[in-house]
Amino acid sequence: MNASSLQVSIVTYHPDEDALIRCMYALSESIEFARNEGVLRTVNVALIDNSESQQVVERLVELGDLFFREPTQVSYLHGHANIGFGAAHNLTLHGSGADYHLILSIDTELAQSALAEGVRWMEEHDDVGAAAPSLFAPDGSRIYPCHRFPSVFDLFLIGFAPTWLRSFFGRRIKHFEMRAETDSHEPFFDIPCFSWACILARRRVTDQSSGFDPTFFLYFETSDWILRLGLIARTAYVPTMRAVSYDRLVLGSPLIKHKWLFCKSAFSFCRKHGWKWF
């Protein structure tokens, strides 16, 4: 197997520094491991800041210089205002010339072998355009990044239902999260939707998919993209590509702004892909 090239994009907006440091450190270790394994050669890490703060971008540059050294290249994008998660990733999603693109949340900490395992697996499965990892919470419990096409009722349960009601419909939520399919140690193909924590995508497929739809400022931008990408190539869950998610944003959060963004994006998603009520 010839070594592959990789473009990484990380989008920030007034980031939690502890989370950012964990993410960058783990990424640098995973890049180094994959390079030593002969899986990766050239790597570019794009740090894309959506805030207007000069202090934030200066700190990003400091951390980038700290964690990523030659031969890993680092680029910084700043000053374009808060254009949203997907639109910010689009700034580096096309035209990089890399074989693969890694979309990474700052709340995600890659396992040391994650990139080597993911790229090696993708090289062996040329028909797969995007892969999701096995995700774990800091306490070691499973997080399920793969989802079925959501119904309106599923979205209500995830975004607004109180804990007791989500518990009552626990079997339905487990079905939506594809737990039976992804609880095994075997890869699973043709996943309808992924979460946005970590996605390894083949560049030639991302180019054909046109990337993220900027209509989705926050929420559903990844589900929309993976649904469209799945029409071009297969998608897959790859359990040997492991990561820990420290995501602190819970959809059941009482924050009015996030509930409004969730509803707005859910409406756009259903209007674009069809209304499935139950």
Side-chain angles (χ1 to χ4, degrees):
M1 182 183 103
N2 295 326
S4 301
S5 55
L6 176 70
Q7 169 72 58
V8 182
S9 61
I10 301 173
V11 175
T12 63
Y13 180 76
H14 298 292
D16 177 277
E17 186 164 313
D18 289 341
L20 188 58
I21 288 173
R22 281 196 305 265
C23 174
M24 286 187 175
Y25 174 75
L27 174 61
S28 66
E29 291 287 297
S30 195
I31 290 171
E32 187 67 17
F33 183 88
R35 188 175 278 128
N36 291 337
E37 290 283 301
V39 176
L40 288 179
R41 54 178 198 281
T42 58
V43 179
N44 179 272
V45 178
L47 301 176
I48 308 164
D49 181 54
N50 276 359
S51 71
E52 299 80 24
S53 170
Q54 189 62 31
Q55 288 181 322
V56 170
V57 74
E58 288 174 358
R59 185 57 175 154
L60 280 177
V61 172
E62 290 177 1
L63 293 174
D65 290 343
L66 175 64
F67 289 113
F68 305 109
R69 299 179 181 178
E70 292 292 342
T72 300
Q73 300 173 330
V74 186
S75 56
Y76 304 93
L77 287 83
H78 176 72
H80 48 265
N82 190 8
I83 58 176
F85 176 84
H89 278 291
N90 280 344
L91 296 176
T92 60
L93 196 62
H94 307 293
S96 70
D99 299 312
Y100 294 97
H101 193 108
L102 178 71
I103 295 164
L104 190 63
S105 162
I106 68 164
D107 293 313
T108 303
E109 181 180 339
L110 294 177
Q112 187 181 55
S113 63
L115 287 175
E117 292 286 353
V119 172
R120 188 181 288 123
W121 190 90
M122 292 281 280
E123 286 291 290
E124 295 171 354
H125 299 81
D126 191 60
D127 57 337
V128 174
S134 53
L135 277 183
F136 299 85
D139 63 3
S141 59
R142 285 287 307 276
I143 297 174
Y144 295 89
C146 302
H147 304 146
R148 300 184 193 278
F149 186 92
S151 69
V152 174
F153 187 63
D154 292 328
L155 297 179
F156 164 74
L157 289 175
I158 295 167
F160 298 95
T163 302
W164 67 267
L165 189 57
R166 289 200 296 272
S167 297
F168 183 80
F169 285 99
R171 182 177 297 179
R172 182 187 181 101
I173 292 175
K174 289 178 181 179
H175 177 75
F176 170 71
E177 292 179 337
M178 304 186 71
R179 295 196 183 191
E181 292 84 353
T182 59
D183 260 335
S184 73
H185 298 293
E186 297 298 323
F188 191 83
F189 293 85
D190 303 320
I191 308 293
C193 302
F194 296 165
S195 79
W196 52 272
C198 175
I199 299 173
L200 182 63
R202 201 179 300 276
R203 183 188 57 81
R204 61 176 170 80
V205 177
T206 65
D207 287 346
Q208 295 177 58
S209 72
S210 300
F212 290 97
D213 183 345
T215 300
F216 301 95
F217 180 80
L218 183 65
Y219 299 117
F220 295 96
E221 63 280 350
T222 304
S223 294
D224 166 73
W225 180 48
I226 294 299
L227 275 173
R228 290 185 287 107
L229 190 147
L231 300 175
I232 302 168
R234 303 186 78 181
T235 57
Y237 163 75
V238 182
T240 55
M241 183 171 64
R242 297 165 61 93
V244 173
S245 176
Y246 290 82
D247 188 7
R248 298 170 307 282
L249 182 59
V250 179
L251 291 181
S253 166
L255 296 175
I256 299 300
K257 180 179 180 181
H258 281 287
K259 287 189 177 292
W260 161 245
L261 288 172
F262 182 81
C263 290
K264 181 180 179 182
S265 293
F267 179 81
S268 297
F269 179 87
C270 293
R271 185 172 60 178
K272 181 176 183 177
H273 294 285
W275 294 85
K276 178 183 176 184
W277 293 98
F278 295 98

